[in-house]
Each structure stands twice: as C-alpha cells, then as structure tokens.
Amino acid sequence: MKKTIFGLIFCAVFLPGCGRMNVDFPPPSDSASVTELFPASVDGAPMRLTDSGLSQGLAYAYQGVGSVWVYRTNDEASAAAFFDAEVMPLFAGFSSVRRWNINGRRQVQAKGGGAYAVGWTNGKWLFLIRAAGKKGFKKLTDVYPWIED
C-alpha cells in the first residue's frame, strides 16, 4: 500500500515537469512577418532585436524575461543539420539536458545555473527560447504560439 501511494505521489509531482514540451503545431507560413513570429511584448517588456550567438536567424529579447530566436531554412533536412551543428552546442553549458528526435523533429530542453532553454525544429523552421529564470521561461512559453508546456 505504501509503495502504491508513493508511486502515485511521485508520478503526480515529478513526472509532469520531466516530459517534453508540445511543439506539434503547424509551422509558420513561409512568408510570416516579424510580428507573426515574435510577440510584440512579453509581460510588459517590448521586443528588442538582439544577438543570438548563431550565424543565421533572427532573435528578439524581452528585458527581464528572456529571448526568442527563429530561423527558416530551405527544407527539413537543412533545419535538422543546422540544429545539430549550431543550436545543440549552445546547450553544452547546462547541467541538465534532455533531447528528443521524434519523426525527424528535434527538441532539446535544458536547465542549469537558474537558466532555462528549449530548442526545436518544426518542418524547415527552427526555434530557440532562452531565459535566465524559470518565471521568464514560463512567460515566454505561455505566449509563444508554437510551443506548449
């Protein structure tokens, strides 16, 4: 009986935070504008163009919240190659990194030192959300239309 109760409590408390995030949404259109790809503001912080540290793509930061990076490649194979070559190395400094590759869609979630990040591919699109804290990360994932906790 005690084992059953412990098992139920463990599942209820720990497993919801361990799963991968839902990124199974239709990707943006090829002609999506900046205002379609990035929220105008998050928690009152307006979007500001920022350096992502990646060779391609566009990134906007939201002061005190975090940043969002987006890049559209020519096809799914190019997205996968760019993700593996340039996005994955950004996760090297995190203490906890979880990766998935489901039907060619890549996703990586990481945390460490108070920072949180998630990156994923969706067709020919790549996305990366980074935040210095859990609250900022949650705010970004709550308002971003191509991901759900």
Side-chain angles (χ1 to χ4, degrees):
M1 180 72 164
K2 287 182 180 180
K3 288 181 182 179
T4 303
I5 292 172
F6 175 76
L8 291 173
I9 292 171
F10 180 82
C11 289
V13 173
F14 295 105
L15 290 182
C18 296
R20 65 183 185 90
M21 301 189 86
N22 179 16
V23 294
D24 192 21
F25 297 97
S29 74
D30 284 354
S31 60
S33 67
V34 168
T35 56
E36 292 173 292
L37 295 171
F38 300 93
S41 66
V42 177
D43 199 36
M47 62 188 236
R48 294 206 172 124
L49 190 61
T50 190
D51 180 18
S52 68
L54 294 159
S55 66
Q56 301 290 322
L58 191 58
Y60 282 91
Y62 303 88
Q63 187 174 6
V65 180
S67 66
V68 176
W69 169 83
V70 178
Y71 177 50
R72 182 179 59 86
T73 62
N74 293 325
D75 52 44
E76 288 185 38
S78 298
F82 190 91
F83 190 85
D84 292 344
E86 295 205 36
V87 176
M88 283 304 298
L90 296 176
F91 291 88
F94 286 90
S95 59
S96 172
V97 179
R98 300 188 63 197
R99 303 181 334 184
W100 296 269
N101 184 344
I102 300 171
N103 297 325
R105 284 189 175 187
R106 284 147 167 77
Q107 184 180 148
V108 61
Q109 290 175 216
K111 62 182 176 179
Y116 291 78
V118 61
W120 71 100
T121 62
N122 187 345
K124 58 178 123 179
W125 290 87
L126 294 96
F127 302 90
L128 176 64
I129 293 177
R130 296 186 275 193
K134 189 173 187 175
K135 286 183 182 180
F137 183 76
K138 178 87 171 112
K139 288 175 185 178
L140 282 167
T141 57
D142 282 350
V143 300
Y144 206 63
W146 292 284
I147 191 166
E148 182 178 78
D149 193 4

